[in-house]
Amino acid sequence: MTGSLRSRLAAGATDAGFAAGWHAVRMLPEPAARGAFDRAGRWAAGRDGKGTRQLRANLRVVTDGLLPEPALAELTTRALRSYARYWQEAFRLPTLSSERIVGGTEVVGLEHLQKARDSGRGLVMVLPHSGNWDAAGVWFVDFLGGPFMTVAERLKPESLYRRFLDYRESLGMRVVPLTGGPRPSTEVLRDWLEQAGVICLLVDRNLGSGGVPVSFFGRTATMPGGAALLAAQTGSALIPTVCQFTERGWRLVFSSEIPVEGPGRLKDRVTGAMQSVADAFAESIGRQPEDWHMLGRIWGDVPPDPVQSRT
């Protein structure tokens, strides 16, 4: 079997697996789906794969190394159960009414969002990989009375990318491909903001080259600076937002607007703004770290934990 044929077959299997998962989980009663995904999160914790070990190392930083290892292991298990809950809800979200999601969402700091919205400018909402940002999107579309725009990494195969695109657009979002679109994504986002539109971007992990160095939980990390740059270029408000779970629903925590205008070089203002974003993230994540789904490496000097010995 050639490598290209093997890749195509693997990509097709991946897409088919997601399609089957979406269909099957929607058919399950909600308590059964929750229970199954909760068990999957516990299983992932026990398996101690690379993502789990990186998550545990990341959470050690978040908790300042103060937790005994058994307590850190328990926090890691809760975090994986939270991550499994995200996927369970992602598969089922199109079947939930917007009224239920809006009614089940607790909002902290709404005055910051309302003040920025009332200014008549565009909004650049920046988020970490925390809680359920898709459910937050449903609440946000209801609050805005219309769509917001976001960016999606182009997944392979193309059919899987289209499936995620259709899913998020069914929730009321407008999605721009990070790469491969008819126009550069930054141009599309800039035009949208200049018409007082709203964009939402995940910025707690830099996947491309460059980025802005910030101190995050006391260690140097790199975050993409594009959100702050867009806010500066269009006069839009830059608002950090953290999504969390509650026992029966969701929580959104809005921080006050981060200033990006003023004297000094644009590069320095963008760097300063992203540091303020990192500080806002750290404050909310630190209060509920189990909902931060960061299974990838974010600090250069924090690799995955070693494989735990099993006795």
Side-chain angles (χ1 to χ4, degrees):
M1 183 183 295
T2 66
S4 60
L5 177 57
R6 187 181 297 110
S7 298
R8 289 198 299 272
L9 290 174
T14 299
D15 183 36
F18 270 94
W22 253 307
H23 178 74
V25 176
R26 289 183 197 184
M27 296 300 103
L28 286 174
E30 187 169 343
R34 281 201 174 208
F37 276 77
D38 188 70
R39 289 190 294 274
R42 293 178 184 273
W43 173 84
R47 184 172 176 269
D48 205 36
K50 183 177 180 180
T52 296
R53 289 183 282 114
Q54 183 67 68
L55 175 63
R56 187 166 62 245
N58 292 342
L59 290 173
R60 185 179 290 107
V61 174
V62 169
T63 56
D64 202 25
L66 298 177
L67 290 183
E69 287 302 307
L72 180 64
E74 194 274 333
L75 174 60
T76 304
T77 298
R78 294 205 318 270
L80 288 165
R81 292 170 62 198
S82 173
Y83 189 41
R85 175 177 169 177
Y86 164 75
W87 280 107
Q88 182 268 135
E89 291 182 353
F91 286 133
R92 292 181 58 87
L93 206 59
T95 68
L96 303 181
S97 69
S98 60
E99 291 79 12
R100 175 180 169 182
I101 294 170
V102 171
T105 300
E106 172 188 330
V107 182
V108 178
L110 181 61
E111 67 276 11
H112 303 308
L113 177 62
Q114 191 65 61
K115 179 180 178 181
R117 185 65 174 163
D118 289 346
S119 71
R121 297 173 292 154
L123 302 182
V124 179
M125 315 299 295
V126 286
L127 303 86
H129 290 77
S130 178
N132 188 336
W133 46 92
D134 291 321
V138 174
W139 180 92
F140 205 38
V141 167
D142 180 81
F143 172 82
L144 296 172
F148 64 86
M149 187 172 285
T150 189
V151 173
E153 186 179 359
R154 205 166 201 113
L155 302 172
K156 291 183 179 180
E158 180 71 14
S159 56
L160 180 59
Y161 167 73
R162 293 299 312 179
R163 196 176 299 280
F164 272 98
L165 181 68
D166 293 343
Y167 161 63
R168 289 200 162 100
E169 290 191 338
S170 75
L171 301 177
M173 309 177 194
R174 294 192 181 178
V175 183
V176 179
L178 180 62
T179 58
R183 297 173 60 204
S185 57
T186 52
E187 289 185 7
V188 179
L189 295 173
R190 188 181 299 113
D191 288 350
W192 184 259
L193 288 170
E194 287 175 346
Q195 299 172 44
V198 179
I199 67 173
C200 295
L201 300 173
L202 293 163
V203 301
D204 57 340
R205 188 180 180 202
N206 187 47
L207 296 175
S209 60
V212 175
V214 297
S215 176
F216 190 42
F217 289 102
R219 291 178 181 262
T220 299
T222 303
M223 292 185 178
L229 181 61
L230 283 168
Q233 291 173 334
T234 62
S236 300
L238 182 66
I239 308 289
T241 307
V242 177
C243 310
Q244 298 171 334
F245 287 121
T246 63
E247 184 176 350
R248 297 187 176 275
W250 307 269
R251 180 184 299 113
L252 285 171
V253 182
F254 297 109
S255 297
S256 58
E257 177 182 346
I258 303 296
V260 291
E261 297 182 346
R265 296 189 307 165
L266 176 61
K267 179 181 178 181
D268 295 336
R269 287 186 277 123
V270 166
T271 299
M274 291 309 300
Q275 180 60 63
S276 296
V277 168
D279 293 342
F281 285 175
E283 182 178 353
S284 293
I285 292 171
R287 286 198 296 265
Q288 198 158 315
E290 63 268 27
D291 285 340
W292 188 45
H293 307 146
M294 185 49 68
L295 280 69
R297 191 164 180 172
I298 188 168
W299 294 283
D301 59 346
V302 182
D305 273 3
V307 177
Q308 291 185 337
S309 60
R310 299 181 182 181
T311 57

